[in-house]
């Protein structure tokens, strides 16, 4: 289903569909494509609605030549003029690939938009429809363009994120595609391979048993991993897809001694709340030695009524701890200061700055 994003209200100025719903474009079904209008300069039309989460892409909708009664033609503006462009792209892809699901057709249109500044943060794709690219034959296999972590790292690792240059066909990259994964202590057991949400099918997380031994880690996978057209990996870029060794991807990282202290990355609550509070959750960037975070490490805690006594420090996980105190319900500001000899597992002192 392709739907217009809408043309604003009586003022003819586009509205944010994330804040002011416009139907049918705001229906949540994932087979619906909501279309904004752009002009010949790739600007968002002044009348066009938009929305970072509710509008998917843009298409030409200003000065569009269209049919009118009595065998005549006229030009029109509107998201209703932009929508047929996307509808036509859907029809072309359906005719080219009658076996494709609606999701694959939708993703192909989204993956091939031209990114334009006017639609950045105003649509889910940040781009304007490019029919030519969407329907063009694709015979090139995917290749990996990034792997993280890479180089030297100081902390224990339990996953690697790899990024391909295009969308990978669902189900073609699994643990079976891992050719090897080794570390200083021998083989590393890969637990799962899964796509990263909101990555347009291009990023995958390779999860393995946590590794902390110092030294080099190396892994290899492929090449029987395909894009949505069925093209196997072409990691060496020579146009011959799926070469057994040449199109495999290999990378790695090195764990070195940890000399950097932990720091706090989150505090909850940290803004205004409208309920009584009896604890504050502190989140560190890495696991903390539980014995190093004590009540004595709370160097200051006060509220509208004066100093507040901390009664307990409760670990929630290796990186999260609850600072517990008597329930506070007095209106006003509260301030908590943490210091003391807090250390990570390696014994490094907190390094908040």
């Amino acid at each position: 289903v392709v739907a217009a994003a809408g043309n604003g209200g009586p003022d003819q100025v586009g509205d944010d569909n994330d804040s002011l719903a416009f139907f049918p474009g705001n229906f949540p079904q994932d087979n619906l494509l909501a279309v904004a209008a752009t002009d010949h300069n790739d600007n968002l039309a002044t009348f066009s609605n938009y929305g970072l989460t509710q509008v998917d892409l843009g298409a030409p909708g200003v000065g569009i030549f269209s049919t009118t009664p009595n065998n005549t033609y006229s030009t029109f503006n509107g998201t209703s003029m932009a929508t047929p462009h996307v509808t036509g792209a859907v029809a072309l892809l359906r005719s080219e690939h009658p076996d494709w699901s609606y999701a694959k057709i939708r993703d192909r249109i989204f993956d091939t938009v031209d990114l334009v500044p006017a639609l950045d943060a105003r649509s889910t794709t940040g781009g304007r429809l490019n029919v030519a690219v969407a329907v063009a034959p694709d015979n090139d296999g995917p290749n990996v363009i990034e792997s993280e972590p890479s180089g030297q790292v100081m902390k224990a690792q339990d996953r690697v994120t790899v990024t391909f240059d295009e969308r990978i066909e669902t189900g073609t990259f699994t643990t079976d595609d891992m050719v090897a994964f080794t570390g200083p202590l021998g083989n590393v057991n890969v637990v799962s391979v899964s796509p990263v949400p909101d990555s347009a099918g291009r990023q995958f997380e390779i999860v393995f048993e946590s590794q902390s031994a110092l030294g080099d880690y190396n892994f290899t996978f492929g090449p029987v991993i395909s894009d949505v057209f069925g093209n196997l990996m072409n990691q060496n870029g020579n146009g011959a897809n799926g070469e057994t060794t040449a199109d495999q991807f290999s990378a790695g990282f090195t764990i070195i001694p940890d000399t950097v202290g932990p720091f706090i990355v989150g505090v909850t609550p940290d803004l205004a709340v409208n309920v009584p509070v009896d604890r504050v959750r502190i989140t560190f960037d890495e696991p903390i030695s539980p014995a190093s975070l004590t009540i004595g490490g709370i160097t200051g805690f006060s509220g509208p009524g004066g100093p507040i006594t901390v009664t307990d420090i409760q670990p929630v996980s290796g990186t999260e701890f609850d600072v517990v105190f008597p329930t506070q319900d007095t209106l006003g500001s509260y301030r908590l200061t943490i210091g003391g000899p807090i250390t990570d597992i390696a014994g490094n002192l907190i390094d908040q700055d």
Side-chain angles (χ1 to χ4, degrees), residues 1-3 24-34 54 56 106 110:
V1 178
V2 185
N26 270 60
F27 280 122
Q29 283 71 19
D30 66 355
N31 66 333
L32 186 147
L33 288 68
Q54 297 299 323
D56 295 307
R106 174 203 64 205
F110 289 172

Side-chain angles (χ1 to χ4, degrees), residues 102-118:
Y102 76 83
K104 187 175 285 190
I105 290 175
R106 174 203 64 205
D107 292 344
R108 180 63 179 172
I109 289 174
F110 289 172
D111 291 347
T112 55
V113 297
D114 287 337
L115 300 178
V116 296

